[in-house]
Amino acid sequence: QKEVEQNSGPLSVPEGAIASLNCTYSDRGSQSFFWYRQYSGKSPELIMSIYSNGDKEDGRFTAQLNKASQYVSLLIRDSQPSDSATYLCAVNSPNDYKLSFGAGTTVTVRA
Amino acid sequence: GAVVSQHPSWVICKSGTSVKIECRSLDFQATTMFWYRQFPKQSLMLMATSNEGSKATYEQGVEKDKFLINHASLTLSTLTVTSAHPEDSSFYICSAPDAGTGGDGYTFGSGTRLTVV
């Protein structure tokens, strides 16, 4: 079983729509969860971090964490063409600082 | 915020030669540096963890004699790909925990695109 799994893509949404990304993780002791955006040929950039159950909003992005279900999601509202990228879910190991990444979901926002 | 400077951004080398990649923490001390490799259309895979003043720890399946990691100071970690072969062509990225600097987890270098011909 993979440590971090993301919903398979690619995901294509029209401009202005909501893009919904999902991620599950296997280590119940994980405490820190991250969503990164990665453009082709570039390094990942942090979109959102979340540590507590519930929702966390930052602009057009909302992360949701449910530790009981070992599930973390990311919503992108009012999607823009510039949001077209691969989104990586990452989970911190409870015993060290190592990050485990999901395979990524490629999002395309159609103008 | 915390910055990790990674060089070179891209390199082309001949098969059999060695290539060194540097990651420097510019405004914080990185006692730990993670090294990742990313093949096209795949996710980041952790290769090894370097710790200042001690030997690096390698993930399963990563050859420590091929991927030499040195973390000689609190601001510099290097990865040397020795006797590179075309299958080593990949995107290499370093990352350091930055929570102590007010960051929100990890700072990533800009990545190095290695092409072995």
Side-chain angles (χ1 to χ4, degrees), chain A:
Chain A
Q1 180 185 4
K2 291 184 179 179
E3 294 183 27
V4 181
E5 295 203 45
Q6 295 184 236
N7 53 322
S8 59
L11 179 65
S12 180
V13 299
E15 185 174 357
I18 296 175
S20 177
L21 307 172
N22 302 316
C23 174
T24 58
Y25 58 95
S26 60
D27 193 331
R28 187 170 288 278
S30 298
Q31 297 294 323
S32 305
F33 308 87
F34 306 88
W35 282 101
Y36 289 90
R37 177 175 62 197
Q38 187 178 29
Y39 293 113
S40 180
K42 302 295 185 181
S43 192
E45 57 177 318
L46 182 67
I47 296 296
M48 185 79 78
S49 61
I50 187 166
Y51 307 100
S52 303
N53 281 328
D55 296 354
K56 180 180 179 181
E57 186 175 317
D58 184 359
R60 295 185 296 109
F61 299 94
T62 298
Q64 184 176 57
L65 174 63
N66 184 324
K67 290 186 179 179
S69 300
Q70 296 174 240
Y71 171 90
V72 57
S73 66
L74 180 71
L75 291 179
I76 307 174
R77 293 184 302 281
D78 187 24
S79 295
Q80 302 297 308
S82 60
D83 295 328
S84 297
T86 296
Y87 289 81
L88 301 167
C89 173
V91 178
N92 184 306
S93 167
N95 299 317
D96 52 41
Y97 285 108
K98 293 182 181 180
L99 274 182
S100 295
F101 285 86
T105 301
T106 298
V107 174
T108 301
V109 181
R110 309 186 305 270

Side-chain angles (χ1 to χ4, degrees), chain B residues 71-89:
Chain B
H71 198 141
S73 76
L74 288 171
T75 59
L76 176 64
S77 177
T78 62
L79 166 67
T80 301
V81 183
T82 63
S83 187
H85 291 285
E87 58 265 31
D88 298 322
S89 298

Side-chain angles (χ1 to χ4, degrees), chain B residues 22-96:
Chain B
E22 291 189 352
C23 281
R24 293 181 183 272
S25 56
L26 297 186
D27 47 6
F28 70 106
Q29 294 181 335
T31 56
T32 299
M33 190 74 74
F34 298 107
W35 288 92
Y36 296 89
R37 178 168 54 183
Q38 186 178 35
F39 292 108
K41 298 191 183 302
Q42 294 187 26
S43 192
L44 278 72
M45 295 301 297
L46 181 64
M47 299 175 63
T49 304
S50 72
N51 296 288
E52 189 269 337
S54 63
K55 290 184 178 181
T57 57
Y58 292 80
E59 297 301 304
Q60 190 173 9
V62 178
E63 300 176 57
K64 61 181 181 180
D65 294 331
K66 181 171 182 61
F67 299 99
L68 301 180
I69 290 175
N70 186 280
H71 198 141
S73 76
L74 288 171
T75 59
L76 176 64
S77 177
T78 62
L79 166 67
T80 301
V81 183
T82 63
S83 187
H85 291 285
E87 58 265 31
D88 298 322
S89 298
S90 189
F91 191 50
Y92 292 85
I93 309 171
C94 61
S95 172

